Amino acid sequence: IKNNVQSTDKQGGFVLPIEVEVSSKSGIYHPLDKLNFGLLRTLDNPKPLRLILINASNRTLHIVKVELEKPNDAIHIDFRPVKILPGSLKASLVALVTFTALKATNSRQYSGNIIARTKDDEFVLKIPYTADILHGSLEYEANVTRFYSGDASLKTLRKLHLTNKFNFTIVIYSVT
């Protein structure tokens, strides 16, 4: 990567390390190293991620099963058997994987593996998943936030009390 900032080398750039995996084996591949659900709070809506696969073989592959390696109530997989055409580097949607943070009551549920299988178990792919969960919430009285504001000459002031139910301190910098 080149830039216009002066540096110790003559080319005015910096090195960005990347990891590349190269294989001559045919089969099914996931284009990312894992499904990352990111940072979720326990009361967040369930977060869906698309599970996409690439067929690197020279024939059509039938994905017949997508399942969890170990049972996990926080994960739901919406899958129907699908055919992935050969020779295309275009990823195909295989399943929708949904993580529900409220159902993740144990830290062992925050990560695991999803297994995708082809017909006759010819190709088996293990895809890791992970989520970071914040237990708790920032609570307030919802009715305090509802009031009539149709007349601009009326100024309405309300006190909004917040209760931190997280197990860490929260700093509020601005309320608008």
Side-chain angles (χ1 to χ4, degrees), residues 131-150:
D132 294 313
I133 309 297
L134 295 177
H135 290 282
S137 63
L138 191 59
E139 296 179 358
Y140 62 93
E141 177 66 40
N143 287 335
V144 174
T145 64
R146 297 182 182 120
F147 52 89
Y148 176 72
S149 63

PDB file of all heavy atoms in Angstrom, residues 131-150:
ATOM      1  N   ALA A 131     -19.322 -15.283  18.979  1.00  0.00           N
ATOM      2  CA  ALA A 131     -20.096 -14.102  19.360  1.00  0.00           C
ATOM      3  C   ALA A 131     -19.545 -13.584  20.682  1.00  0.00           C
ATOM      4  O   ALA A 131     -19.054 -14.362  21.506  1.00  0.00           O
ATOM      5  CB  ALA A 131     -21.574 -14.443  19.499  1.00  0.00           C
ATOM      6  N   ASP A 132     -19.591 -12.287  20.868  1.00  0.00           N
ATOM      7  CA  ASP A 132     -19.228 -11.667  22.138  1.00  0.00           C
ATOM      8  C   ASP A 132     -20.514 -11.141  22.757  1.00  0.00           C
ATOM      9  O   ASP A 132     -21.236 -10.359  22.127  1.00  0.00           O
ATOM     10  CB  ASP A 132     -18.229 -10.527  21.934  1.00  0.00           C
ATOM     11  CG  ASP A 132     -16.897 -11.018  21.422  1.00  0.00           C
ATOM     12  OD1 ASP A 132     -16.385 -12.000  21.978  1.00  0.00           O
ATOM     13  OD2 ASP A 132     -16.370 -10.432  20.457  1.00  0.00           O
ATOM     14  N   ILE A 133     -20.799 -11.554  23.981  1.00  0.00           N
ATOM     15  CA  ILE A 133     -22.076 -11.235  24.615  1.00  0.00           C
ATOM     16  C   ILE A 133     -21.859 -10.325  25.824  1.00  0.00           C
ATOM     17  O   ILE A 133     -21.019 -10.593  26.671  1.00  0.00           O
ATOM     18  CB  ILE A 133     -22.800 -12.515  25.092  1.00  0.00           C
ATOM     19  CG1 ILE A 133     -22.888 -13.537  23.976  1.00  0.00           C
ATOM     20  CG2 ILE A 133     -24.170 -12.182  25.654  1.00  0.00           C
ATOM     21  CD1 ILE A 133     -23.685 -13.121  22.790  1.00  0.00           C
ATOM     22  N   LEU A 134     -22.650  -9.243  25.852  1.00  0.00           N
ATOM     23  CA  LEU A 134     -22.702  -8.379  27.035  1.00  0.00           C
ATOM     24  C   LEU A 134     -24.003  -8.700  27.760  1.00  0.00           C
ATOM     25  O   LEU A 134     -25.092  -8.510  27.210  1.00  0.00           O
ATOM     26  CB  LEU A 134     -22.705  -6.901  26.637  1.00  0.00           C
ATOM     27  CG  LEU A 134     -21.460  -6.366  25.958  1.00  0.00           C
ATOM     28  CD1 LEU A 134     -21.663  -4.909  25.565  1.00  0.00           C
ATOM     29  CD2 LEU A 134     -20.255  -6.497  26.875  1.00  0.00           C
ATOM     30  N   HIS A 135     -23.886  -9.209  28.981  1.00  0.00           N
ATOM     31  CA  HIS A 135     -25.082  -9.536  29.751  1.00  0.00           C
ATOM     32  C   HIS A 135     -25.548  -8.292  30.485  1.00  0.00           C
ATOM     33  O   HIS A 135     -24.773  -7.620  31.151  1.00  0.00           O
ATOM     34  CB  HIS A 135     -24.789 -10.662  30.748  1.00  0.00           C
ATOM     35  CG  HIS A 135     -24.564 -11.972  30.069  1.00  0.00           C
ATOM     36  ND1 HIS A 135     -25.588 -12.732  29.590  1.00  0.00           N
ATOM     37  CD2 HIS A 135     -23.425 -12.631  29.759  1.00  0.00           C
ATOM     38  CE1 HIS A 135     -25.112 -13.810  29.023  1.00  0.00           C
ATOM     39  NE2 HIS A 135     -23.792 -13.771  29.105  1.00  0.00           N
ATOM     40  N   GLY A 136     -26.828  -7.984  30.334  1.00  0.00           N
ATOM     41  CA  GLY A 136     -27.402  -6.840  31.009  1.00  0.00           C
ATOM     42  C   GLY A 136     -28.070  -5.891  30.034  1.00  0.00           C
ATOM     43  O   GLY A 136     -28.262  -6.198  28.860  1.00  0.00           O
ATOM     44  N   SER A 137     -28.403  -4.690  30.546  1.00  0.00           N
ATOM     45  CA  SER A 137     -29.072  -3.694  29.715  1.00  0.00           C
ATOM     46  C   SER A 137     -28.972  -2.331  30.392  1.00  0.00           C
ATOM     47  O   SER A 137     -28.602  -2.228  31.559  1.00  0.00           O
ATOM     48  CB  SER A 137     -30.540  -4.066  29.511  1.00  0.00           C
ATOM     49  OG  SER A 137     -31.214  -4.071  30.758  1.00  0.00           O
ATOM     50  N   LEU A 138     -29.318  -1.306  29.640  1.00  0.00           N
ATOM     51  CA  LEU A 138     -29.460   0.044  30.162  1.00  0.00           C
ATOM     52  C   LEU A 138     -30.960   0.311  30.163  1.00  0.00           C
ATOM     53  O   LEU A 138     -31.564   0.452  29.099  1.00  0.00           O
ATOM     54  CB  LEU A 138     -28.714   1.049  29.282  1.00  0.00           C
ATOM     55  CG  LEU A 138     -28.547   2.454  29.823  1.00  0.00           C
ATOM     56  CD1 LEU A 138     -27.781   2.440  31.150  1.00  0.00           C
ATOM     57  CD2 LEU A 138     -27.830   3.320  28.816  1.00  0.00           C
ATOM     58  N   GLU A 139     -31.572   0.333  31.344  1.00  0.00           N
ATOM     59  CA  GLU A 139     -33.020   0.392  31.442  1.00  0.00           C
ATOM     60  C   GLU A 139     -33.504   1.800  31.761  1.00  0.00           C
ATOM     61  O   GLU A 139     -32.805   2.580  32.404  1.00  0.00           O
ATOM     62  CB  GLU A 139     -33.504  -0.591  32.506  1.00  0.00           C
ATOM     63  CG  GLU A 139     -33.202  -2.032  32.148  1.00  0.00           C
ATOM     64  CD  GLU A 139     -33.657  -3.015  33.208  1.00  0.00           C
ATOM     65  OE1 GLU A 139     -34.191  -2.601  34.265  1.00  0.00           O
ATOM     66  OE2 GLU A 139     -33.479  -4.228  32.982  1.00  0.00           O
ATOM     67  N   TYR A 140     -34.734   2.093  31.293  1.00  0.00           N
ATOM     68  CA  TYR A 140     -35.375   3.371  31.555  1.00  0.00           C
ATOM     69  C   TYR A 140     -36.881   3.184  31.481  1.00  0.00           C
ATOM     70  O   TYR A 140     -37.371   2.183  30.964  1.00  0.00           O
ATOM     71  CB  TYR A 140     -34.913   4.436  30.557  1.00  0.00           C
ATOM     72  CG  TYR A 140     -35.256   4.103  29.125  1.00  0.00           C
ATOM     73  CD1 TYR A 140     -36.423   4.564  28.541  1.00  0.00           C
ATOM     74  CD2 TYR A 140     -34.412   3.305  28.356  1.00  0.00           C
ATOM     75  CE1 TYR A 140     -36.755   4.251  27.242  1.00  0.00           C
ATOM     76  CE2 TYR A 140     -34.731   2.984  27.053  1.00  0.00           C
ATOM     77  CZ  TYR A 140     -35.903   3.459  26.500  1.00  0.00           C
ATOM     78  OH  TYR A 140     -36.214   3.132  25.215  1.00  0.00           O
ATOM     79  N   GLU A 141     -37.613   4.159  31.991  1.00  0.00           N
ATOM     80  CA  GLU A 141     -39.073   4.128  31.942  1.00  0.00           C
ATOM     81  C   GLU A 141     -39.522   4.634  30.579  1.00  0.00           C
ATOM     82  O   GLU A 141     -39.351   5.813  30.258  1.00  0.00           O
ATOM     83  CB  GLU A 141     -39.657   5.007  33.062  1.00  0.00           C
ATOM     84  CG  GLU A 141     -41.160   5.119  33.068  1.00  0.00           C
ATOM     85  CD  GLU A 141     -41.846   3.806  33.371  1.00  0.00           C
ATOM     86  OE1 GLU A 141     -41.360   3.062  34.237  1.00  0.00           O
ATOM     87  OE2 GLU A 141     -42.873   3.519  32.734  1.00  0.00           O
ATOM     88  N   ALA A 142     -40.064   3.762  29.759  1.00  0.00           N
ATOM     89  CA  ALA A 142     -40.422   4.109  28.381  1.00  0.00           C
ATOM     90  C   ALA A 142     -41.475   5.210  28.313  1.00  0.00           C
ATOM     91  O   ALA A 142     -41.444   6.058  27.407  1.00  0.00           O
ATOM     92  CB  ALA A 142     -40.910   2.870  27.644  1.00  0.00           C
ATOM     93  N   ASN A 143     -42.406   5.263  29.268  1.00  0.00           N
ATOM     94  CA  ASN A 143     -43.461   6.280  29.238  1.00  0.00           C
ATOM     95  C   ASN A 143     -42.922   7.694  29.409  1.00  0.00           C
ATOM     96  O   ASN A 143     -43.555   8.651  28.972  1.00  0.00           O
ATOM     97  CB  ASN A 143     -44.528   5.977  30.296  1.00  0.00           C
ATOM     98  CG  ASN A 143     -45.386   4.802  29.905  1.00  0.00           C
ATOM     99  OD1 ASN A 143     -45.535   4.495  28.721  1.00  0.00           O
ATOM    100  ND2 ASN A 143     -45.934   4.116  30.895  1.00  0.00           N
ATOM    101  N   VAL A 144     -41.779   7.860  30.044  1.00  0.00           N
ATOM    102  CA  VAL A 144     -41.190   9.182  30.224  1.00  0.00           C
ATOM    103  C   VAL A 144     -40.755   9.765  28.886  1.00  0.00           C
ATOM    104  O   VAL A 144     -40.701  10.976  28.711  1.00  0.00           O
ATOM    105  CB  VAL A 144     -39.988   9.108  31.212  1.00  0.00           C
ATOM    106  CG1 VAL A 144     -39.252  10.430  31.304  1.00  0.00           C
ATOM    107  CG2 VAL A 144     -40.476   8.683  32.582  1.00  0.00           C
ATOM    108  N   THR A 145     -40.478   8.921  27.922  1.00  0.00           N
ATOM    109  CA  THR A 145     -40.012   9.405  26.613  1.00  0.00           C
ATOM    110  C   THR A 145     -41.170   9.728  25.675  1.00  0.00           C
ATOM    111  O   THR A 145     -40.940  10.175  24.551  1.00  0.00           O
ATOM    112  CB  THR A 145     -39.117   8.344  25.933  1.00  0.00           C
ATOM    113  OG1 THR A 145     -39.885   7.175  25.665  1.00  0.00           O
ATOM    114  CG2 THR A 145     -37.914   8.010  26.800  1.00  0.00           C
ATOM    115  N   ARG A 146     -42.410   9.558  26.120  1.00  0.00           N
ATOM    116  CA  ARG A 146     -43.579   9.838  25.276  1.00  0.00           C
ATOM    117  C   ARG A 146     -44.328  11.057  25.823  1.00  0.00           C
ATOM    118  O   ARG A 146     -44.803  11.045  26.961  1.00  0.00           O
ATOM    119  CB  ARG A 146     -44.517   8.631  25.266  1.00  0.00           C
ATOM    120  CG  ARG A 146     -43.874   7.413  24.673  1.00  0.00           C
ATOM    121  CD  ARG A 146     -44.865   6.258  24.640  1.00  0.00           C
ATOM    122  NE  ARG A 146     -44.202   5.088  24.101  1.00  0.00           N
ATOM    123  CZ  ARG A 146     -44.052   3.949  24.730  1.00  0.00           C
ATOM    124  NH1 ARG A 146     -44.532   3.804  25.945  1.00  0.00           N
ATOM    125  NH2 ARG A 146     -43.425   2.944  24.167  1.00  0.00           N
ATOM    126  N   PHE A 147     -44.409  12.098  24.979  1.00  0.00           N
ATOM    127  CA  PHE A 147     -45.138  13.296  25.380  1.00  0.00           C
ATOM    128  C   PHE A 147     -45.496  14.099  24.143  1.00  0.00           C
ATOM    129  O   PHE A 147     -44.912  13.928  23.076  1.00  0.00           O
ATOM    130  CB  PHE A 147     -44.335  14.150  26.369  1.00  0.00           C
ATOM    131  CG  PHE A 147     -42.937  14.482  25.912  1.00  0.00           C
ATOM    132  CD1 PHE A 147     -42.693  15.607  25.151  1.00  0.00           C
ATOM    133  CD2 PHE A 147     -41.880  13.659  26.266  1.00  0.00           C
ATOM    134  CE1 PHE A 147     -41.415  15.901  24.735  1.00  0.00           C
ATOM    135  CE2 PHE A 147     -40.595  13.960  25.854  1.00  0.00           C
ATOM    136  CZ  PHE A 147     -40.364  15.081  25.077  1.00  0.00           C
ATOM    137  N   TYR A 148     -46.468  14.963  24.273  1.00  0.00           N
ATOM    138  CA  TYR A 148     -46.950  15.781  23.172  1.00  0.00           C
ATOM    139  C   TYR A 148     -45.961  16.916  22.922  1.00  0.00           C
ATOM    140  O   TYR A 148     -45.555  17.623  23.834  1.00  0.00           O
ATOM    141  CB  TYR A 148     -48.336  16.347  23.503  1.00  0.00           C
ATOM    142  CG  TYR A 148     -48.856  17.285  22.452  1.00  0.00           C
ATOM    143  CD1 TYR A 148     -49.273  16.796  21.219  1.00  0.00           C
ATOM    144  CD2 TYR A 148     -48.927  18.645  22.688  1.00  0.00           C
ATOM    145  CE1 TYR A 148     -49.744  17.644  20.246  1.00  0.00           C
ATOM    146  CE2 TYR A 148     -49.409  19.507  21.713  1.00  0.00           C
ATOM    147  CZ  TYR A 148     -49.816  18.999  20.495  1.00  0.00           C
ATOM    148  OH  TYR A 148     -50.285  19.845  19.526  1.00  0.00           O
ATOM    149  N   SER A 149     -45.571  17.084  21.658  1.00  0.00           N
ATOM    150  CA  SER A 149     -44.627  18.150  21.337  1.00  0.00           C
ATOM    151  C   SER A 149     -45.124  18.975  20.152  1.00  0.00           C
ATOM    152  O   SER A 149     -44.341  19.601  19.458  1.00  0.00           O
ATOM    153  CB  SER A 149     -43.251  17.557  21.013  1.00  0.00           C
ATOM    154  OG  SER A 149     -43.340  16.741  19.859  1.00  0.00           O
ATOM    155  N   GLY A 150     -46.442  19.003  19.924  1.00  0.00           N
ATOM    156  CA  GLY A 150     -47.014  19.696  18.770  1.00  0.00           C
ATOM    157  C   GLY A 150     -46.908  21.208  18.852  1.00  0.00           C
ATOM    158  O   GLY A 150     -46.778  21.881  17.830  1.00  0.00           O
TER     159      GLY A 150
END
